[in-house]
Amino acid sequence: QSVLTQPPSVSAAPGQKVTISCSGSSSNIGNNYVSWYQQLPGTAPKLLIYDNNKRPSGIPDRFSGSKSGTSATLGITGLQTGDEADYYCGTWDSSLSAARVFGGGTKLTVL
Amino acid sequence: EVQLVESGGGLIQPGGSLRLSCAASGFTVSSNYMSWVRQAPGKGLEWVSVIYSGGSTYYADSVKGRFTISRDNSKNTLYLQMNSLRAEDTAVYYCARDLPSSSTLPGFRGMDVWGQGTTVTVSS
């Protein structure tokens, strides 16, 4: 069972918007940065969002991140079939020695 | 080009040992915080271990006492020595680089470079 809670799946039609939530506590999300990762089938995870809401170079602005209290949200607009993937949130849990923690992952289906 | 390439995975019997390697190019391993993250078949990501630039090491409870993270600065390579392997250690193992932190941006900010992964299967 993951320290961070994500919905197992979300779906939306091409061109639409979807949000993925990530819920934690004061020892993790509440007091640390949140990052988001995209994992396409059979590939390694790829950083989408860091520092709660920043995008690495090359990541389109269709992807956005936000954080409020002990929860974080990944938003994806203008959905494309190529966005079908697993998405993970990650952060640091200060109650666990140097532990990085991840959410259980959310499978995005673009209908 | 900044890149990480893992190797060393394979099929190993329960109780056995294996050493994974992660060769870096385009940056210096010893100047960064480097982690191992694993993914069991059909499951999510699980952080395994981290080594800080200063040499401090930390482990997930699930591997503490059995796994050892280290690096060879001359080879610019990260390692994960895995002993007393169990069936539940079966996974794809990724190495990854932390984004650098600072006094103005403290803490874990994300992992920006990932290797392609190496598969470890623990089975008799």
Side-chain angles (χ1 to χ4, degrees), chain B residues 11-122:
Chain B
L11 174 63
I12 188 77
Q13 291 189 340
S17 297
L18 209 57
R19 189 180 79 157
L20 306 182
S21 300
C22 170
S25 56
F27 72 98
T28 303
V29 164
S30 62
S31 299
N32 290 270
Y33 293 2
M34 299 293 299
S35 282
W36 286 96
V37 176
R38 69 184 180 183
Q39 186 170 35
K43 302 297 184 181
L45 303 176
E46 179 189 15
W47 173 77
V48 172
S49 180
V50 65
I51 183 167
Y52 285 177
S53 51
S56 299
T57 59
Y58 300 92
Y59 301 90
D61 287 345
S62 58
V63 307
K64 201 173 294 182
R66 300 188 299 122
F67 289 12
T68 302
I69 191 171
S70 64
R71 66 190 182 211
D72 185 328
N73 297 345
S74 67
K75 295 183 178 179
N76 206 29
T77 297
L78 178 73
Y79 299 101
L80 186 67
Q81 177 66 43
M82 304 186 296
N83 298 331
S84 302
L85 281 162
R86 307 166 180 168
E88 54 265 36
D89 296 319
T90 294
V92 175
Y93 284 74
Y94 298 100
C95 58
R97 182 183 78 174
D98 274 20
L99 280 163
S101 59
S102 66
S103 57
T104 52
L105 291 170
F108 172 59
R109 304 171 60 207
M111 297 177 184
D112 67 333
V113 182
W114 293 70
Q116 85 288 353
T118 187
T119 301
V120 173
T121 303
V122 184

